[in-house]
Amino acid sequence: MLHQYVRQFSQKLVHRRPLEVGAESESPEAHLNTLDLVALGVGRTLGAGVYILVGAVAKVRAGPATVICFLMAGLSCVLSGLCYAEFGARVPGSSSAYLYSYITMGQLCAFITGWNLILSLVIGTACIARGWSSTLDSLTGNHISQGLQGTLSLHVPYFLPTYADFVALGLVLLLTGVLVLGARESTLVNKVFTVINILVLSFIILSGFIKGDLHNWELTEQDYKLNASGSTDIYSLERLDPLGSGGFMPFGFEGILHGAATCFYAFLGFDSIAMRGEEALNPQHSIPFSIMISLFICFLAYFGVSAALTLMVPYYQIQPKSPLPQAFLHVGWGPARYVVAVGTLCALTSSLLGTMFTMPRLIYAMAKDGLLFQGLAWIYDRTGTPVMAIMASGNIAGVMALLFEFMDLVDLVSVGTLLAYSLVIFSMLVLRYQPYQILSKKEKTEDKIEMKSEIEGSPLDSGPEAGTSNILKSLWFPPSTIPTRKSGQIVYGCASLIVLLLTILSLLLAQWSSQVFSGDPGLTTVAVLLLLLITGVTVIIWRQPQDPTYLYFKVPALPVLPLVSIFVNIYLMMQMTSGTWALFGIWAAIGSVIYFGYGIRHNS
């Protein structure tokens, strides 16, 4: 009885949702060219990251080396972006990584992916709203923040702000109401905001190189002391915050790694391109090219803005809540800060709308599948909008924007998104080596019958010794040139083992990197053994046959490229603080209670 219960429970965890026949036959009209997709990706990506995050990272985590942080985060996103392009090709009817995971990997993987994406979208909305409020506050001469000072008790936990941001709360609630009334996404509005955004960023970059001073990349402690003594401008630091050792990398390589993990947030949004595969005119070219072009444009923007900012203002004098408008005030171009502020508000509004349009769709999809409370799937007939999903996500995001600081929210978004992206990459890697395709309900039933007959007639059960010999032989010399059920299981097991080994290696390098590279006998030996094991298991995966099904885009260099991407994502997650992991653990615990207490019993 217990064995049967455990078996049924396990089957539910890996139950895959069949692709509806209607979803296969009914596809939206293709109308998006490469330019449209690039505008979509850039509009969703260039937001709070380029206008707010760059200042916070430069001041307390990387200094002028922020440009390197964005380079590392951008390379990680490129690898993830390629995997997203393939998943968009493999399941063109899916509108999110959640649905893709459900159709391909099963219920548990889908819930983990969806729950982490909800975290990223909800907290991302709060981040953008907080940045929008800070920009507006800067335009008013900080009168808003001064007026709100004291709204919270002085005896609050360290992770809460000094004042409650009612402007950010009001903005989120206002847009939530607009969505409830049935507002729709506009491609034209997105293009207009994107053009304004790029023009303002170009102005910032050119101005920075004109008014910048290379000495700000070679600062010393003496420069800080000279500036702090007798200075009365608004950039004087309230505390030392430790300033690091000066120079281009004041916080060392460790600061760059921590900054890169935070900067990953700045590239969120490129996945929206992969979701529009069926609407692309030439998806086999436009999807991968659009992802790469939009990420490249965003990297150039982040690189240029972070370079311009740290050249105009010494990194320890940067105003993190509104760095760019205040930087122009610092160099004597006061009127220009209004132009920058307007561009900032346009970019943040575009990014905020894109995030808030996506958030209720995901919650509605999970509730409709029974993994979240069914009430969240209620549709208001007059407007056709998931009202409960919109109100729930909007209210949570509003409370987060009211009570949490921007940087604390950013790190939490990065952890959730890195984990969700890693699950997508893992799914893509495993599925490339599986024998089955994405099936409709009818095909899935027929496939089960055929698979059962194959298992019953399998010659591998002739004896344990023969079975072991065949398995060992198939690791290096697969008997078939196309994927089989056994080769798929081998890849699944090997990929899971590699993820475990990469996690151990990342933890080792994150905690004891100096000892490893300095030649500590014990730690260096462990690192070498891990690398040898990872290499050997990677070769085993490489030897297995891949699915020959035609897709308009496939990730090259399998299995190396996806595994490198997973390693980079895990290593960046290891850079987060214990406080961030504590908050993420609370979110994961809430998700576990919902899934095992409700979702696994009520899913469709």
Side-chain angles (χ1 to χ4, degrees):
M1 188 71 179
L2 179 61
H3 175 73
Q4 184 179 3
Y5 173 78
V6 172
R7 183 180 179 183
Q8 291 176 349
F9 182 78
S10 301
Q11 287 176 344
K12 281 190 175 183
L13 295 180
V14 297
H15 165 70
R16 291 188 297 135
R17 171 179 169 177
L19 186 65
E20 300 293 343
V21 176
E24 294 176 294
S25 59
E26 299 173 7
S27 57
E29 180 184 354
H31 63 281
L32 297 177
N33 56 30
T34 303
L35 181 61
D36 293 327
L37 293 170
V38 170
L40 176 68
V42 173
R44 291 287 179 84
T45 305
L46 285 181
V50 72
Y51 289 103
I52 308 294
L53 182 65
V54 61
V57 172
K59 181 174 181 178
V60 299
R61 295 192 176 170
T66 302
V67 293
I68 302 178
C69 297
F70 281 111
L71 175 62
M72 295 178 65
L75 290 175
S76 173
C77 282
V78 166
L79 298 177
S80 300
L82 291 174
C83 297
Y84 258 84
E86 177 165 332
F87 104 63
R90 188 172 292 276
V91 193
S94 66
S95 57
S96 68
Y98 155 74
L99 185 55
Y100 166 71
S101 300
Y102 207 160
I103 293 172
T104 57
M105 294 301 294
Q107 184 186 116
L108 178 61
C109 182
F111 182 84
I112 295 173
T113 302
W115 190 246
N116 281 291
L117 287 176
I118 290 175
L119 171 68
S120 301
L121 292 170
V122 170
I123 306 300
T125 299
C127 284
I128 301 170
R130 193 90 189 184
W132 199 97
S133 173
S134 297
T135 303
L136 184 63
D137 183 42
S138 175
L139 275 177
T140 64
N142 298 325
H143 291 304
I144 296 176
S145 57
Q146 292 172 5
L148 292 174
Q149 292 288 346
T151 54
L152 290 180
S153 168
L154 296 177
H155 306 288
V156 295
Y158 71 94
F159 53 81
L160 293 180
T162 55
Y163 66 91
D165 196 339
F166 288 100
V167 175
L169 171 64
L171 176 63
V172 173
L173 294 181
L174 174 64
L175 293 180
T176 299
V178 171
L179 293 181
V180 168
L181 294 176
R184 295 289 184 266
E185 227 171 342
S186 171
T187 305
L188 177 61
V189 172
N190 181 68
K191 284 183 179 179
V192 171
F193 277 136
T194 301
V195 170
I196 296 174
N197 195 3
I198 292 177
L199 290 175
V200 171
L201 291 176
S202 301
F203 171 73
I204 293 170
I205 294 170
L206 290 175
S207 302
F209 288 120
I210 292 172
K211 297 293 291 183
D213 184 359
L214 279 174
H215 178 69
N216 288 331
W217 283 11
E218 302 170 351
L219 296 170
T220 64
E221 187 177 349
Q222 186 65 24
D223 292 311
Y224 168 73
K225 291 179 178 178
L226 288 174
N227 181 272
S229 59
S231 177
T232 59
D233 71 22
I234 62 173
Y235 291 99
S236 296
L237 293 176
E238 297 176 1
R239 51 197 172 93
L240 197 60
D241 247 357
L243 297 176
S245 57
F248 183 74
M249 297 168 54
F251 302 95
F253 191 65
E254 182 180 352
I256 291 177
L257 291 174
H258 194 184
T262 302
C263 288
F264 190 87
Y265 162 83
F267 289 93
L268 304 186
F270 70 86
D271 52 313
S272 59
I273 297 176
M275 308 300 180
R276 309 294 281 271
E278 283 196 319
E279 301 174 55
L281 292 173
N282 190 12
Q284 62 268 32
H285 297 292
S286 59
I287 293 294
F289 276 124
S290 299
I291 289 176
M292 296 302 105
I293 292 171
S294 49
L295 284 175
F296 181 69
I297 291 174
C298 292
F299 166 70
L300 289 180
Y302 291 131
F303 184 94
V305 170
S306 56
L309 178 64
T310 51
L311 285 172
M312 284 195 291
V313 184
Y315 69 90
Y316 51 77
Q317 290 183 314
I318 291 173
Q319 166 61 270
K321 291 187 177 181
S322 185
L324 296 174
Q326 297 297 336
F328 279 92
L329 191 64
H330 177 77
V331 297
W333 285 14
R337 71 189 181 112
Y338 295 104
V339 176
V340 175
V342 170
T344 304
L345 292 177
C346 287
L348 293 179
T349 302
S350 176
S351 183
L352 183 60
L353 285 171
T355 303
M356 293 191 70
F357 273 116
T358 305
M359 186 166 52
R361 293 175 187 170
L362 175 59
I363 295 175
Y364 166 78
M366 295 182 68
K368 187 178 179 182
D369 290 335
L371 297 181
L372 293 179
F373 304 112
Q374 290 285 355
L376 295 172
W378 181 67
I379 297 288
Y380 184 48
D381 294 333
R382 182 173 296 180
T383 60
T385 54
V387 173
M388 298 305 296
I390 293 173
M391 293 181 63
S393 58
N395 289 333
I396 295 173
V399 172
M400 299 296 284
L402 178 73
L403 296 178
F404 287 88
E405 288 285 6
F406 176 81
M407 286 303 294
D408 296 327
L409 295 173
V410 165
D411 285 344
L412 199 54
V413 172
S414 296
V415 170
T417 309
L418 284 166
L419 181 56
Y421 283 7
S422 298
L423 287 172
V424 169
I425 297 167
F426 178 84
S427 302
M428 186 280 302
L429 172 64
V430 170
L431 284 169
R432 182 75 79 85
Y433 294 90
Q434 300 303 314
Y436 49 80
Q437 305 300 315
I438 309 305
L439 306 174
S440 65
K441 290 181 177 179
K442 180 180 178 181
E443 291 170 330
K444 189 174 182 181
T445 304
E446 295 172 353
D447 181 72
K448 284 182 178 179
I449 297 173
E450 292 175 4
M451 187 175 291
K452 182 178 180 181
S453 63
E454 288 177 5
I455 295 172
E456 290 174 350
S458 175
L460 296 179
D461 297 330
S462 56
E465 294 182 2
T468 304
S469 176
N470 286 333
I471 291 175
L472 292 175
K473 184 178 179 181
S474 64
L475 293 178
W476 295 96
F477 303 103
S480 175
T481 57
I482 60 174
T484 63
R485 187 165 179 264
K486 185 172 70 173
S487 69
Q489 291 174 341
I490 289 173
V491 171
Y492 193 97
C494 289
S496 301
L497 176 60
I498 287 183
V499 170
L500 176 62
L501 295 174
L502 289 176
T503 302
I504 297 173
L505 179 62
S506 299
L507 182 62
L508 185 69
L509 294 177
Q511 298 297 323
W512 302 285
S513 58
S514 58
Q515 293 93 321
V516 171
F517 292 110
S518 63
D520 180 271
L523 294 175
T524 304
T525 302
V526 172
V528 171
L529 289 176
L530 287 171
L531 287 173
L532 291 175
L533 285 171
I534 291 169
T535 303
V537 180
T538 301
V539 172
I540 292 175
I541 296 178
W542 172 68
R543 293 290 298 167
Q544 305 307 308
Q546 296 186 26
D547 180 11
T549 303
Y550 170 77
L551 298 175
Y552 62 71
F553 177 76
K554 287 187 175 182
V555 175
L558 252 68
V560 175
L561 203 59
L563 292 177
V564 170
S565 182
I566 291 175
F567 170 71
V568 173
N569 289 351
I570 294 174
Y571 188 72
L572 290 177
M573 284 191 283
M574 294 293 178
Q575 305 303 315
M576 298 301 177
T577 63
S578 57
T580 300
W581 279 109
L583 292 174
F584 181 76
I586 295 173
W587 180 261
I590 295 172
S592 299
V593 171
I594 293 175
Y595 177 70
F596 290 106
Y598 177 87
I600 199 170
R601 299 178 182 179
H602 295 82
N603 69 292
S604 56

